[in-house]
Every structure is written in C-alpha cells, then in structure tokens.
C-alpha cells in the first residue's frame, strides 16, 4: 500500500450483500446515501472478536468510515443506525420481499459510486415498512419496484398510452411498450389485465396506501406479475445491450465504421 494516497470518507448506507474474502475478511456491497453503490473490504469481520462484523450484514443501515483503495475501498469504522435484518428475517414474506428489494437495488446500480439519493431513500423506506409491517409485504415490494423503475427512467404508463400519450384509461397493456396502450398503438400480443389491477399499480406508484390496501388478492397477484414482467424486461434489455456493444466493437470494426456514416 505504500505510495498509494488514501483518503478517508464517511457516509451512511444499506448493506446489499456480502461475500467471503480469504480467511477472515468480507467484501460488502453497500448502497450509500452520497456515494452510490460502494464495494469495500471489511477486514477481520468473520473473526468472533470483530468489532463490527455483526453490523455489516445484509439489511443493515450503517454509518461507515472508509478509506479509498486502489480497487476496493476499506471499511475502517461501522456504527449501526438500524439493523432491519433481524426483524425482517423473522417474517418469511417480509424476508423474501426484502431480499428482492436489495437485489433490485444492486442490479439497478450498474455503476459504482454514481450517487442515487432517490434510490437510497426508496430502499430505506421499503426496509422500514417491511420491518414495521406497516403494509402487506407484497404491496411494499411492488410499490418499491414501480418507484425504482421510475427513478431509473422506466416509469410505466398506467393511465395514458405508453406510445402516443393519448389519455386513458386503456384496456391493453404491453410490457415491451412500457404499460397501457391505446387501440391504435397496441402491439400484437398485448395483455388485457383487469382495469382494477392497473388502478392498484397506480395507487402503489403514487403512494395511495388506503386504495392499495383495499385491493383483492386476485388483483395483487395480477399486479405483481405485471410489475415483475416490466422489471425483468428492462433489466434484461439493459444488461443485454452492454455485451452487444462490446462484441460489435471487437469483432466487426467494419460494421462499426459503417454505422458512423
Ligand atoms: Zn397510443
């Protein structure tokens, strides 16, 4: 490490996941308030005498002091702000919903150290709701996913037409188009969800919990299916586009040149 200038910084964050490193260390992935997603080494945390091992588990909201490293930063201090893990792990549906929140936050932050305060606040809000059992877990998860998509620039159309913007409500729903679509725009293979289900998604996106909690199980299930399909479509498309760009650069420079014309 000699010759490498190190700077110290402090931030709060939620631990998204941990990986073992060597005999006693762990790599933690944290979504921080001001520095976006950070991967850092927590040294000696798997030893029983570790000062802060238990504070650096998934779902923990911690105040961290870190040194910048060449590849990974190094955790030098960790103080617990709130440990949501124990409460969330005690309830199976909260635990599975919470795990999906952490995984989605990780997937949505492709770039490390790119601040996303809105996503950070959504994650903290969702974990708090799950820990306090403020609302049914499935609804908390779907509200989080809809808002996280919105933060990522993929807010689904739930009233107007996703393609031309024509005022709704519209009966057809197309995942590739990004939500409800008017009769003129609807692609073949569009679904026709129950209009009450689309209203439930609108309520979840806007935070109208009275309306959302009055919903029936059938609409919740159908809504979850639509939300999952939208997220999956965006994530796969997002991930697929990167390897395609890399491959065309390396394998066919002529094609790249022709694209520039
Ligand atoms: Zn249209």
């Amino acid at each position: 490490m000699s010759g490498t200038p190190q700077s110290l910084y402090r931030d709060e964050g939620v631990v998204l996941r941990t990986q073992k490193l060597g005999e006693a260390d762990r790599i933690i992935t944290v979504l921080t308030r001001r520095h976006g997603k950070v991967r850092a080494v927590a040294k000696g945390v798997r030893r029983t005498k570790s000062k802060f091992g238990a504070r650096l588990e998934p779902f923990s909201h911690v105040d961290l002091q870190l040194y910048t490293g060449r590849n990974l930063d190094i955790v030098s201090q960790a103080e617990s702000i709130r440990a949501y893990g124990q409460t969330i792990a005690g309830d199976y549906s909260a635990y599975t919903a919470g795990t999906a929140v952490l995984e989605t936050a990780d997937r949505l932050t492709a770039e490390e150290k790119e601040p996303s305060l809105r996503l950070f606040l959504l994650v903290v809000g969702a974990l708090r709701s799950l820990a306090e059992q403020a609302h049914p877990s499935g609804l908390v998860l779907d509200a989080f996913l809809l808002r996280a998509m919105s933060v990522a620039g993929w807010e689904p159309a739930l009233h107007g037409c996703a393609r031309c913007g024509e005022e709704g409500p519209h009966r057809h729903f197309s995942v590739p188009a990004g939500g409800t679509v008017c009769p003129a725009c609807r692609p073949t293979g569009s679904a026709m969800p129950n209009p009450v289900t689309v209203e439930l998604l609108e309520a979840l996106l806007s935070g109208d919990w009275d309306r959302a909690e009055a919903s029936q199980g059938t609409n919740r299930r159908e809504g979850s299916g639509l939300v999952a399909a939208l997220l999956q479509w965006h994530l796969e498309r997002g991930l697929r586009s990167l390897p395609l760009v890399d491959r065309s650069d390396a394998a066919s420079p002529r094609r790249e040149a022709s694209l520039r014309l």
Side-chain angles (χ1 to χ4, degrees), residues 66-121:
L66 303 115
Y67 285 106
T68 54
R70 195 169 301 180
N71 297 311
L72 297 166
D73 294 351
I74 296 153
V75 179
S76 71
Q77 266 186 42
E79 297 296 335
S80 178
I81 294 174
R82 278 198 69 171
Y84 294 112
Q86 232 174 350
T87 331
I88 289 176
D91 181 275
Y92 185 69
S93 68
Y95 179 74
T96 50
T99 302
V101 167
L102 298 187
E103 274 179 24
T104 304
D106 195 8
R107 295 281 302 275
L108 286 177
T109 45
E111 291 291 320
E112 289 174 26
K113 296 203 173 170
E114 200 173 84
S116 177
L117 177 61
R118 287 175 69 202
L119 184 63
F120 170 77
L121 294 175

Side-chain angles (χ1 to χ4, degrees), residues 160-167 170 180-186:
C161 172
R163 291 222 162 131
C164 72
E166 182 170 303
E167 269 297 294
H170 302 296
T180 51
V181 278
C182 75
C185 295
R186 74 182 167 92

Side-chain angles (χ1 to χ4, degrees), residues 139 142 146 158-159 169-173 180 191-206 208 210-224 226-227:
L139 295 183
D142 286 337
L146 284 165
L158 298 173
H159 192 77
H170 302 296
R171 288 299 317 269
H172 290 88
F173 192 102
T180 51
M192 280 183 75
N194 188 324
V196 178
T197 298
V198 179
E199 282 171 27
L200 166 62
L201 298 186
E202 272 188 293
L204 290 171
L205 184 60
S206 64
D208 185 346
D210 288 342
R211 244 172 89 207
E213 289 192 7
S215 59
Q216 303 290 313
T218 48
N219 300 114
R220 291 183 189 185
R221 278 189 293 279
E222 190 180 33
S224 294
L226 292 176
V227 171

Side-chain angles (χ1 to χ4, degrees), residues 9 15 42 64 73 87 174 183-184 188 230:
Y9 66 99
V15 180
L64 295 173
D73 294 351
T87 331
S174 163
T188 46
L230 285 165

